[in-house]
Amino acid sequence: MQDAASSPDIDLMRRTAAGDRDAFASLYRMHHATVYRFARLMTGSTTTAEDIVQEVFLALMRDASRYDPARASLTTYLYGSARHHTRRRLLRDRFLVRLEDQADLCLPAASATAAEDLIRQRDVQHVRRAIVRLPARYREVIVLCDLQDVSYADAAQALGCAIGTVRSRLHRARHLLADKLLRGLACVDMARRPTVRCEV
Amino acid sequence: MKQSERSQERLAQSLQMLAEVEAGNETPARVETVVMARWDAMQKRRVPSRTKRVVRVATAMAAGITIFGALAWHNLTVRLKPDTTATVRLKPDTTATVRLKPDTTYTTVAVVGGPLMADEPIRVVRMRVARSVLGELGIPSPAQRGAAPAATVDIDVLVGEDGVARGVRVPINEL
């Protein structure tokens, strides 16, 4: 699991444990986006994702001395921590009704026309909602393996399960997601169908 | 192409699109500000690890000394207590006699209060009293034998647990 690319992480973690502010700031700048995207995709909320980023890095600064590079890379460790905090947060907020995040709707203009942008925005929003409605154990593997490009081995380590479990969950999750998208699009098509006036 | 393959392909495209959109998302700068502020606050509170270690060792040593002292004191008290009572209780001429005055011999115990039980713990109170008191207790005094007496005499009063005197004994050389 340990590779050459993560050796700067080890050094930064060692310095962070010793109380080096710059090292911690560097760690934050290197990894905050990864944690933020994971939390955002898992919760579907930007504000919750921001809270989770804070909690993950606060835990990191407290427990920096306990990090063991022989067990997992820092990225995997952060994914594991983010997963833990996300689950705790979702459990705590399960009785709350979330208002739509306006930030979710603001996507960068990537295509030429406004119409294409709108369609793209709608589709992305649709996929995002479908992912959030998946059970947590399936959502995690979709987010890690399909959206964050994490290897199966790293995902297994972050989730604390076997690689075979990751594979089977991913397979099941893709089917569930495809099914949800299909049903969702059918609903959209029904809504878009023009009204026909019946003449007697 | 089957229906399921088409849906999987469509799913892959959708996920690809979402991943591209998400790749541009960054944590707002205010989060970094908050996190670094918490770092600074934590560093201010943190006691240097060396000091912490010294304090821990000192605390452990102090606790050890206290426990050792308490145990030693307890053992000493327990060891001394039976000597005092045993001496007085049964044989006036044993340990207590030796400890106080090695060559002292006593009169027999004159009972003055309630009866002296066999295993009753008793304390000895040494008192200096007027020689005339001996006569009242029924102990023959030198005055009665015609010798020149001292005005006072040291006697041991045997006191029971209830604080009532059980008996009186007088060293022979005091008579």
Side-chain angles (χ1 to χ4, degrees):
Chain A
M1 190 58 56
Q2 192 52 52
D3 53 4
S6 58
S7 59
D9 284 345
I10 298 171
D11 182 48
L12 288 173
M13 281 300 285
R14 201 174 53 243
R15 285 167 51 199
T16 299
D20 186 340
R21 188 182 196 275
D22 293 338
F24 180 71
S26 300
L27 273 179
Y28 178 85
R29 284 173 200 139
M30 283 167 68
H31 295 287
H32 72 91
T34 310
V35 177
Y36 178 69
R37 284 174 209 144
F38 174 82
R40 190 176 137 97
L41 287 165
M42 282 295 292
T43 60
S45 162
T46 52
T47 49
T48 308
E50 288 170 17
D51 290 349
I52 289 169
V53 170
Q54 277 188 39
E55 286 166 14
V56 167
F57 280 93
L58 291 178
L60 183 70
M61 74 170 74
R62 274 196 308 268
D63 303 331
S65 57
R66 288 198 292 183
Y67 167 68
D68 180 8
R71 291 181 63 188
S73 67
L74 183 63
T75 311
T76 308
Y77 175 82
L78 288 173
Y79 273 131
S81 179
R83 173 184 178 249
H84 168 73
H85 284 98
T86 303
R87 284 201 163 212
R88 212 169 59 173
R89 184 62 183 258
L90 290 174
L91 192 69
R92 201 180 69 192
D93 297 349
R94 66 188 183 280
F95 297 120
L96 303 179
V97 176
R98 191 169 65 84
L99 298 173
E100 289 294 331
D101 265 332
Q102 288 304 310
D104 289 349
L105 303 173
C106 303
L107 299 173
S111 52
T113 65
E116 281 180 9
D117 276 353
L118 281 175
I119 292 169
R120 184 181 161 86
Q121 281 187 16
R122 192 204 62 193
D123 288 350
V124 165
Q125 198 58 29
H126 194 60
V127 177
R128 197 195 300 277
R129 281 190 190 136
I131 289 173
V132 168
R133 283 175 191 150
L134 284 174
R137 62 180 183 280
Y138 296 128
R139 203 184 324 155
E140 287 165 354
V141 288
I142 285 279
V143 170
L144 286 175
C145 300
D146 282 349
L147 295 171
Q148 303 271 74
D149 284 333
V150 176
S151 70
Y152 287 175
D154 286 353
Q157 206 159 22
L159 301 177
C161 61
I163 294 181
T165 310
V166 172
R167 285 181 200 277
S168 61
R169 278 188 193 170
L170 193 58
H171 181 75
R172 175 79 178 136
R174 282 173 182 159
H175 274 280
L176 281 173
L177 193 57
D179 190 42
K180 277 185 191 295
L181 286 174
L182 204 64
R183 274 188 285 154
L185 286 177
C187 292
V188 171
D189 287 343
M190 286 287 285
R192 233 192 268 156
R193 191 173 295 169
T195 311
V196 179
R197 187 186 295 273
C198 296
E199 297 194 4
V200 182
Chain B
M1 191 181 278
K2 289 180 184 175
Q3 171 78 20
S4 63
E5 285 175 356
R6 272 203 304 276
S7 66
Q8 286 297 323
E9 193 179 324
R10 189 167 180 174
L11 172 66
Q13 286 172 357
S14 301
L15 289 174
Q16 177 69 27
M17 195 166 57
L18 180 59
E20 283 171 12
V21 169
E22 281 296 321
N25 282 328
E26 294 274 321
T27 320
R30 64 175 178 276
V31 179
E32 182 177 355
T33 310
V34 171
V35 170
M36 295 314 293
R38 294 288 294 271
W39 167 272
D40 292 337
M42 197 182 83
Q43 292 301 315
K44 275 182 192 169
R45 281 202 309 269
R46 180 179 280 179
V47 180
S49 59
R50 191 176 168 187
T51 311
K52 201 185 282 181
R53 206 178 315 132
V54 168
V55 167
R56 206 175 292 156
V57 170
T59 309
M61 284 178 67
I65 290 169
T66 307
I67 291 169
F68 179 77
L71 284 174
W73 175 256
H74 178 72
N75 285 343
L76 192 67
T77 314
V78 168
R79 209 179 315 134
L80 288 178
K81 209 170 181 179
D83 283 352
T84 315
T85 49
T87 304
V88 176
R89 197 189 310 148
L90 296 175
K91 292 182 178 176
D93 54 348
T94 51
T95 317
T97 308
V98 173
R99 186 152 27 93
L100 298 172
K101 280 183 179 177
D103 54 347
T104 305
T105 35
Y106 289 92
T107 61
T108 51
V109 175
V111 178
V112 294
L116 190 59
M117 307 303 289
D119 288 316
E120 186 182 8
I122 282 183
R123 292 185 182 280
V124 178
V125 180
R126 174 151 290 186
M127 299 180 70
R128 179 161 291 171
V129 296
R131 186 169 291 276
S132 58
V133 173
L134 294 178
E136 292 172 16
L137 292 171
I139 299 169
S141 68
Q144 289 168 318
R145 286 187 252 159
T152 58
V153 61
D154 290 340
I155 61 167
D156 292 343
V157 180
L158 314 183
V159 182
E161 274 191 316
D162 53 1
V164 177
R166 295 283 189 272
V168 174
R169 66 181 185 181
V170 185
I172 293 293
N173 55 5
E174 289 284 345
L175 294 175

